[in-house]
Amino acid sequence: LTPPPDGFTAVSRFGTTAVCNVIFQDIGPLFQKLFTQKWLDGDKERVVDSIVATIKDYAEEVQEYLHETYYRKMLVEVMERVVVSYGAQLLRQTSAHNVDASGGIRADAASLEALFTICGLPNRMLALRLKPVLLLASLSGVPLTVDAPEKEGKAGTPDLEKFAAEVCQWLEGALAAFPDLCTDVIYRVLKQRSDIDGRARNAVLVRCNEVHAELLAKVREKSSKGTWAFFTEVYKELGAQPGPHVPTGDGVLTSLATMVTKGGQMRIRGTGHRRQPSAEAGVGLGAGVSEAEKGVKRDRGANAVDIMYRLQM
């Protein structure tokens, strides 16, 4: 198609953004219903279905009035804003729950993909913009492996070392795709999981911060100028500053020390069951730390920190 004249170009650009603003006046409030208990319970009338239906109606109405080039630009802008708002709402959650949300997130991503495919966006445009949603689903669903209990009737031992290694592997891949990713994202997602308490979460974040620092310079050198700053936009919507989440307080030292006083194995005691109440309620990964363990000597604690940074047996 022949590009339209410059004057028409300026008007079309303004028009696409104006249409996006109108659409978001309608769908904006729906994002607040994401990741609620009703959403987690798998309510049949999913929130994203309403978002999809509204966008589809608007797209059909404006398609005949916009040049194809700017119609696609409008779709891209709408999709990017939807994905950013979706990611922001996920990271905005603070309550721990006992549901693996990764399946619901992937289902929502599939609905968005189907919508924008029908509207006319090619796969190459869809893949990049859906990638952060799928990455967040993967992080939310990183499994916590539980070893078989030593005695019948006793709870198994959660393998924190394996869990931390898989989270760090996720971080490496996600950071390569989105260099503006910060470890606060990991903190916010893990905080929603009731099978991982504060001590265990802090221990994992210590390692993630080290991996992030090691990889960031290399990743930024390889990234292109046109890379989508997805997480920067998410944090703008959150009204927060993106950055590393640095664990502080006695909980970090306690969890690390506990890990190396159990026969030299990098594990923390707990119930070991997926999505059980956290240690704030008296159980969960990291629960059951004795007063003697809390009083570990500083030189022993320093060794624990050094070992935790490597996360290896």
Side-chain angles (χ1 to χ4, degrees), residues 19-20 22-28 30-31 47-63 71 74-83 85-86 108 111-121:
V19 171
C20 289
V22 171
I23 293 174
F24 266 79
Q25 286 178 0
D26 279 356
I27 67 175
L30 294 173
F31 289 96
V47 179
V48 167
D49 291 343
S50 297
I51 293 174
V52 164
T54 302
I55 294 173
K56 187 172 182 292
D57 287 343
Y58 275 105
E60 290 174 350
E61 288 182 16
V62 304
Q63 185 173 11
Y71 171 70
M74 183 271 293
L75 291 177
V76 167
E77 185 173 345
V78 170
M79 186 175 186
E80 288 183 352
R81 288 174 65 173
V82 166
V83 171
S85 293
Y86 190 95
D108 287 347
S111 296
L112 292 174
E113 181 179 19
L115 163 68
F116 287 100
T117 298
I118 292 173
C119 289
L121 280 185

Side-chain angles (χ1 to χ4, degrees), residues 18-310:
V19 171
C20 289
N21 291 339
V22 171
I23 293 174
F24 266 79
Q25 286 178 0
D26 279 356
I27 67 175
L30 294 173
F31 289 96
Q32 299 174 17
K33 298 181 180 180
L34 289 166
F35 313 113
T36 60
Q37 191 57 53
K38 194 173 182 180
W39 183 93
L40 291 168
D41 289 341
D43 182 36
K44 293 181 179 179
E45 188 179 349
R46 300 189 68 85
V47 179
V48 167
D49 291 343
S50 297
I51 293 174
V52 164
T54 302
I55 294 173
K56 187 172 182 292
D57 287 343
Y58 275 105
E60 290 174 350
E61 288 182 16
V62 304
Q63 185 173 11
E64 62 178 300
Y65 299 107
L66 286 175
H67 186 277
E68 182 179 348
T69 300
Y70 294 99
Y71 171 70
R72 282 193 176 183
K73 287 186 177 182
M74 183 271 293
L75 291 177
V76 167
E77 185 173 345
V78 170
M79 186 175 186
E80 288 183 352
R81 288 174 65 173
V82 166
V83 171
V84 166
S85 293
Y86 190 95
Q89 188 63 21
L90 173 60
L91 299 188
R92 192 176 282 120
Q93 304 308 303
T94 57
S95 300
H97 52 74
N98 62 353
V99 177
D100 185 340
S102 60
I105 296 172
R106 289 191 178 94
D108 287 347
S111 296
L112 292 174
E113 181 179 19
L115 163 68
F116 287 100
T117 298
I118 292 173
C119 289
L121 280 185
N123 288 335
R124 60 184 175 81
M125 291 184 175
L126 288 170
L128 172 63
R129 290 160 181 88
L130 284 175
K131 190 167 188 176
V133 176
L134 297 175
L135 283 172
L136 290 171
S138 297
L139 176 59
S140 179
V142 173
L144 179 60
T145 304
V146 180
D147 294 342
E150 295 180 2
K151 297 181 180 180
E152 187 177 352
K154 297 290 184 179
T157 304
D159 191 341
L160 181 62
E161 180 191 8
K162 183 177 180 181
F163 178 78
E166 291 189 12
V167 172
C168 288
Q169 185 177 16
W170 175 91
L171 173 60
E172 184 174 356
L175 193 62
F178 298 95
D180 62 333
L181 170 67
C182 60
T183 57
D184 184 65
V185 171
I186 298 174
Y187 165 75
R188 287 172 180 262
V189 173
L190 296 188
K191 191 176 181 181
Q192 299 172 30
R193 294 179 53 160
S194 62
D195 59 339
I196 303 170
D197 71 3
R199 294 187 185 94
R201 185 170 58 244
N202 284 344
V204 172
L205 283 165
V206 167
R207 176 57 177 157
C208 287
N209 282 333
E210 184 190 46
V211 170
H212 188 276
E214 290 174 352
L215 294 175
L216 188 58
K218 297 178 182 177
V219 168
R220 284 180 173 172
E221 287 177 3
K222 295 180 180 180
S223 64
S224 60
K225 293 182 179 180
T227 302
W228 183 23
F230 168 76
F231 289 100
T232 299
E233 294 183 27
V234 165
Y235 275 80
K236 283 182 181 177
E237 184 157 328
L238 289 173
Q241 288 294 326
H245 183 86
V246 181
T248 58
D250 295 336
V252 179
L253 181 60
T254 299
S255 62
L256 299 179
T258 304
M259 289 170 66
V260 296
T261 56
K262 302 297 176 186
Q265 294 194 359
M266 302 290 288
R267 299 193 183 155
I268 293 179
R269 290 186 298 167
T271 63
H273 297 295
R274 177 75 166 149
R275 299 295 200 267
Q276 290 295 318
S278 67
E280 285 78 8
V283 292
L285 185 58
V289 179
S290 68
E291 291 302 318
E293 289 166 346
K294 291 181 180 178
V296 67
K297 295 180 180 179
R298 293 193 65 82
D299 58 342
R300 199 170 178 185
N303 289 336
V305 173
D306 182 63
I307 293 173
M308 184 59 203
Y309 267 88
R310 289 163 178 77

